[in-house]
Amino acid sequence: GDSVTQMEGPVTLSEEAFLTINCTYTATGYPSLFWYVQYPGEGLQLLLKATKADDKGSNKGFEATYRKETTSFHLEKGSVQVSDSAVYFCALSVIGGYNKLIFGAGTRLAVHP
Amino acid sequence: KAGVTQTPRYLIKTRGQQVTLSCSPISGHRSVSWYQQTPGQGLQFLFEYFSETQRNKGNFPGRFSGRQFSNSRSEMNVSTLELGDSALYLCASSAGQPGNTIYFGEGSWLTVV
């Protein structure tokens, strides 16, 4: 079945460091891919998405490129801030699944001043 | 534009009781889906409704049920609560077509004692 694998956390960085959170997927066909962020005590916020191969999603300095050849959707940010501390979830939309999302386990990011 | 609204935000129930959670989707969205989030199992899909019809269902026991009304508002019900049902229940809405962005609410925190 479809699945998403994320790098395990926590990831601890200093402010202004470069961030990469790896995400790979297994799916039938070419699903849409998403990154969601969850701040403590809150729901999920969509960070970015890509709907087809080679698409690059971007938002608030975060970027991720849909790589069909490596079945990956790695999240990157050039300079993290303390306010980026949160849990990040990679997800895919199951083809024919009527908006069913499959999530990775989540990666906790802690950014220190 | 108002986001996805879930009520109640927090609730405590006793084993064996039942609970009903409510979700109002973003105006104009016809698809509502529900997810359960726990530390052990992560984010798991419960079911999705579109125009009052359940289109997809996750792998949860029959104690978990839902419905959608003509105004797209949705409710989910859990009967005969178990301790393991303690979780954050997230509602999400979208326009309902493949590739549409899926927006999440803040969630309802359920504690079963």
Short mmCIF file of all heavy atoms in Angstrom, two decimals, chain A residues 2-32:
data_model
loop_
_atom_site.label_atom_id
_atom_site.label_comp_id
_atom_site.label_asym_id
_atom_site.label_seq_id
_atom_site.Cartn_x
_atom_site.Cartn_y
_atom_site.Cartn_z
N ASP A 2 0.17 2.37 -0.15
CA ASP A 2 0.87 3.66 -0.17
C ASP A 2 1.47 3.96 1.19
O ASP A 2 0.87 3.64 2.24
CB ASP A 2 -0.09 4.78 -0.56
CG ASP A 2 -0.61 4.62 -1.98
OD1 ASP A 2 -0.14 3.71 -2.69
OD2 ASP A 2 -1.50 5.40 -2.37
N SER A 3 2.63 4.62 1.20
CA SER A 3 3.27 4.96 2.48
C SER A 3 4.20 6.15 2.30
O SER A 3 4.63 6.48 1.19
CB SER A 3 4.05 3.76 3.03
OG SER A 3 5.13 3.45 2.20
N VAL A 4 4.51 6.78 3.43
CA VAL A 4 5.43 7.92 3.47
C VAL A 4 6.44 7.67 4.57
O VAL A 4 6.06 7.31 5.70
CB VAL A 4 4.68 9.23 3.74
CG1 VAL A 4 5.65 10.39 3.89
CG2 VAL A 4 3.68 9.52 2.62
N THR A 5 7.70 7.90 4.26
CA THR A 5 8.77 7.73 5.25
C THR A 5 9.52 9.04 5.42
O THR A 5 9.98 9.64 4.45
CB THR A 5 9.77 6.65 4.79
OG1 THR A 5 9.06 5.41 4.60
CG2 THR A 5 10.83 6.43 5.86
N GLN A 6 9.59 9.48 6.66
CA GLN A 6 10.31 10.71 6.98
C GLN A 6 11.51 10.41 7.85
O GLN A 6 11.50 9.42 8.60
CB GLN A 6 9.43 11.65 7.81
CG GLN A 6 8.41 12.40 7.09
CD GLN A 6 7.62 13.32 8.00
OE1 GLN A 6 6.43 13.14 8.16
NE2 GLN A 6 8.28 14.32 8.57
N MET A 7 12.50 11.29 7.78
CA MET A 7 13.64 11.13 8.66
C MET A 7 13.18 11.32 10.10
O MET A 7 12.29 12.12 10.40
CB MET A 7 14.74 12.13 8.31
CG MET A 7 14.37 13.58 8.47
SD MET A 7 15.66 14.67 7.87
CE MET A 7 16.89 14.50 9.16
N GLU A 8 13.80 10.56 10.99
CA GLU A 8 13.42 10.65 12.38
C GLU A 8 13.99 11.91 13.00
O GLU A 8 15.06 12.36 12.65
CB GLU A 8 13.93 9.43 13.14
CG GLU A 8 13.17 8.16 12.81
CD GLU A 8 13.53 7.02 13.74
OE1 GLU A 8 13.95 7.30 14.90
OE2 GLU A 8 13.39 5.86 13.33
N GLY A 9 13.25 12.45 13.96
CA GLY A 9 13.77 13.58 14.68
C GLY A 9 14.20 13.18 16.07
O GLY A 9 14.32 11.98 16.35
N PRO A 10 14.40 14.11 16.95
CA PRO A 10 14.28 15.53 16.63
C PRO A 10 15.49 16.06 15.86
O PRO A 10 16.57 15.51 15.95
CB PRO A 10 14.17 16.18 18.00
CG PRO A 10 14.92 15.26 18.90
CD PRO A 10 14.71 13.87 18.36
N VAL A 11 15.24 17.11 15.11
CA VAL A 11 16.30 17.84 14.44
C VAL A 11 16.52 19.12 15.23
O VAL A 11 15.58 19.88 15.45
CB VAL A 11 15.91 18.18 12.98
CG1 VAL A 11 16.96 19.07 12.34
CG2 VAL A 11 15.72 16.90 12.17
N THR A 12 17.74 19.33 15.67
CA THR A 12 18.08 20.50 16.47
C THR A 12 19.06 21.36 15.69
O THR A 12 20.12 20.87 15.27
CB THR A 12 18.68 20.10 17.82
OG1 THR A 12 17.76 19.25 18.50
CG2 THR A 12 18.95 21.33 18.67
N LEU A 13 18.69 22.62 15.47
CA LEU A 13 19.53 23.54 14.70
C LEU A 13 19.67 24.87 15.41
O LEU A 13 18.81 25.24 16.22
CB LEU A 13 18.91 23.78 13.32
CG LEU A 13 18.79 22.59 12.36
CD1 LEU A 13 18.00 23.00 11.13
CD2 LEU A 13 20.16 22.08 11.97
N SER A 14 20.71 25.57 15.05
CA SER A 14 20.87 26.95 15.51
C SER A 14 20.18 27.87 14.52
O SER A 14 20.03 27.53 13.33
CB SER A 14 22.34 27.31 15.61
OG SER A 14 23.00 26.50 16.56
N GLU A 15 19.76 29.00 15.01
CA GLU A 15 19.10 29.98 14.15
C GLU A 15 20.01 30.31 12.96
O GLU A 15 21.23 30.39 13.10
CB GLU A 15 18.81 31.25 14.95
CG GLU A 15 17.64 32.04 14.45
CD GLU A 15 17.14 33.06 15.46
OE1 GLU A 15 17.93 33.48 16.33
OE2 GLU A 15 15.96 33.44 15.38
N GLU A 16 19.40 30.46 11.79
CA GLU A 16 20.04 30.78 10.52
C GLU A 16 20.73 29.59 9.88
O GLU A 16 21.34 29.73 8.81
CB GLU A 16 21.04 31.94 10.67
CG GLU A 16 20.37 33.24 11.12
CD GLU A 16 21.33 34.41 11.17
OE1 GLU A 16 22.50 34.23 10.78
OE2 GLU A 16 20.90 35.50 11.60
N ALA A 17 20.63 28.41 10.47
CA ALA A 17 21.20 27.20 9.85
C ALA A 17 20.32 26.74 8.69
O ALA A 17 19.15 27.14 8.56
CB ALA A 17 21.34 26.10 10.89
N PHE A 18 20.88 25.88 7.85
CA PHE A 18 20.16 25.30 6.72
C PHE A 18 19.41 24.05 7.18
O PHE A 18 19.95 23.24 7.91
CB PHE A 18 21.14 24.93 5.60
CG PHE A 18 20.49 24.42 4.35
CD1 PHE A 18 20.03 25.30 3.39
CD2 PHE A 18 20.30 23.05 4.14
CE1 PHE A 18 19.42 24.83 2.23
CE2 PHE A 18 19.69 22.58 2.99
CZ PHE A 18 19.24 23.47 2.03
N LEU A 19 18.17 23.94 6.71
CA LEU A 19 17.34 22.80 7.11
C LEU A 19 17.04 21.89 5.93
O LEU A 19 16.67 22.37 4.84
CB LEU A 19 16.01 23.32 7.67
CG LEU A 19 14.89 22.27 7.88
CD1 LEU A 19 15.25 21.35 9.04
CD2 LEU A 19 13.56 22.95 8.12
N THR A 20 17.17 20.60 6.16
CA THR A 20 16.66 19.60 5.24
C THR A 20 15.93 18.54 6.05
O THR A 20 16.50 18.02 7.02
CB THR A 20 17.77 18.90 4.43
OG1 THR A 20 18.48 19.86 3.65
CG2 THR A 20 17.18 17.85 3.51
N ILE A 21 14.71 18.23 5.67
CA ILE A 21 13.98 17.11 6.25
C ILE A 21 13.63 16.18 5.08
O ILE A 21 12.93 16.57 4.15
CB ILE A 21 12.70 17.53 6.98
CG1 ILE A 21 13.04 18.48 8.12
CG2 ILE A 21 11.97 16.29 7.52
CD1 ILE A 21 11.81 19.00 8.88
N ASN A 22 14.15 14.97 5.15
CA ASN A 22 13.95 14.02 4.05
C ASN A 22 12.59 13.35 4.11
O ASN A 22 12.09 13.02 5.19
CB ASN A 22 15.03 12.95 4.08
CG ASN A 22 16.40 13.49 3.71
OD1 ASN A 22 16.50 14.51 3.04
ND2 ASN A 22 17.44 12.82 4.15
N CYS A 23 12.02 13.14 2.93
CA CYS A 23 10.73 12.46 2.80
C CYS A 23 10.75 11.64 1.52
O CYS A 23 11.05 12.16 0.45
CB CYS A 23 9.59 13.47 2.76
SG CYS A 23 7.98 12.74 2.32
N THR A 24 10.46 10.37 1.64
CA THR A 24 10.29 9.51 0.47
C THR A 24 8.94 8.84 0.55
O THR A 24 8.37 8.70 1.63
CB THR A 24 11.39 8.44 0.37
OG1 THR A 24 11.39 7.66 1.57
CG2 THR A 24 12.76 9.06 0.19
N TYR A 25 8.43 8.43 -0.59
CA TYR A 25 7.10 7.85 -0.61
C TYR A 25 7.04 6.61 -1.49
O TYR A 25 7.89 6.40 -2.36
CB TYR A 25 6.07 8.88 -1.09
CG TYR A 25 6.23 9.26 -2.54
CD1 TYR A 25 5.56 8.56 -3.54
CD2 TYR A 25 7.06 10.31 -2.91
CE1 TYR A 25 5.72 8.89 -4.87
CE2 TYR A 25 7.23 10.65 -4.24
CZ TYR A 25 6.56 9.94 -5.21
OH TYR A 25 6.73 10.27 -6.54
N THR A 26 6.04 5.81 -1.23
CA THR A 26 5.70 4.66 -2.08
C THR A 26 4.23 4.81 -2.44
O THR A 26 3.38 4.98 -1.55
CB THR A 26 5.90 3.33 -1.32
OG1 THR A 26 7.26 3.23 -0.90
CG2 THR A 26 5.55 2.15 -2.21
N ALA A 27 3.95 4.82 -3.73
CA ALA A 27 2.55 5.00 -4.12
C ALA A 27 2.32 4.44 -5.52
O ALA A 27 3.26 4.34 -6.32
CB ALA A 27 2.18 6.48 -4.10
N THR A 28 1.08 4.14 -5.78
CA THR A 28 0.68 3.74 -7.13
C THR A 28 0.42 5.02 -7.91
O THR A 28 -0.33 5.88 -7.48
CB THR A 28 -0.62 2.92 -7.05
OG1 THR A 28 -0.40 1.78 -6.21
CG2 THR A 28 -1.02 2.45 -8.44
N GLY A 29 1.04 5.15 -9.06
CA GLY A 29 0.84 6.34 -9.87
C GLY A 29 1.60 7.54 -9.32
O GLY A 29 2.62 7.40 -8.64
N TYR A 30 1.04 8.71 -9.57
CA TYR A 30 1.72 9.95 -9.18
C TYR A 30 0.80 10.77 -8.29
O TYR A 30 -0.01 11.57 -8.78
CB TYR A 30 2.13 10.72 -10.44
CG TYR A 30 2.98 9.89 -11.35
CD1 TYR A 30 2.52 9.45 -12.58
CD2 TYR A 30 4.25 9.50 -10.93
CE1 TYR A 30 3.31 8.65 -13.39
CE2 TYR A 30 5.04 8.69 -11.74
CZ TYR A 30 4.56 8.27 -12.96
OH TYR A 30 5.31 7.47 -13.76
N PRO A 31 0.92 10.59 -7.00
CA PRO A 31 0.04 11.30 -6.07
C PRO A 31 0.44 12.76 -5.93
O PRO A 31 1.54 13.15 -6.32
CB PRO A 31 0.27 10.57 -4.76
CG PRO A 31 1.70 10.10 -4.86
CD PRO A 31 1.89 9.72 -6.31
N SER A 32 -0.42 13.57 -5.35
CA SER A 32 -0.04 14.91 -4.92
C SER A 32 0.71 14.77 -3.60
O SER A 32 0.42 13.88 -2.80
CB SER A 32 -1.28 15.78 -4.72
OG SER A 32 -1.92 16.00 -5.95
#
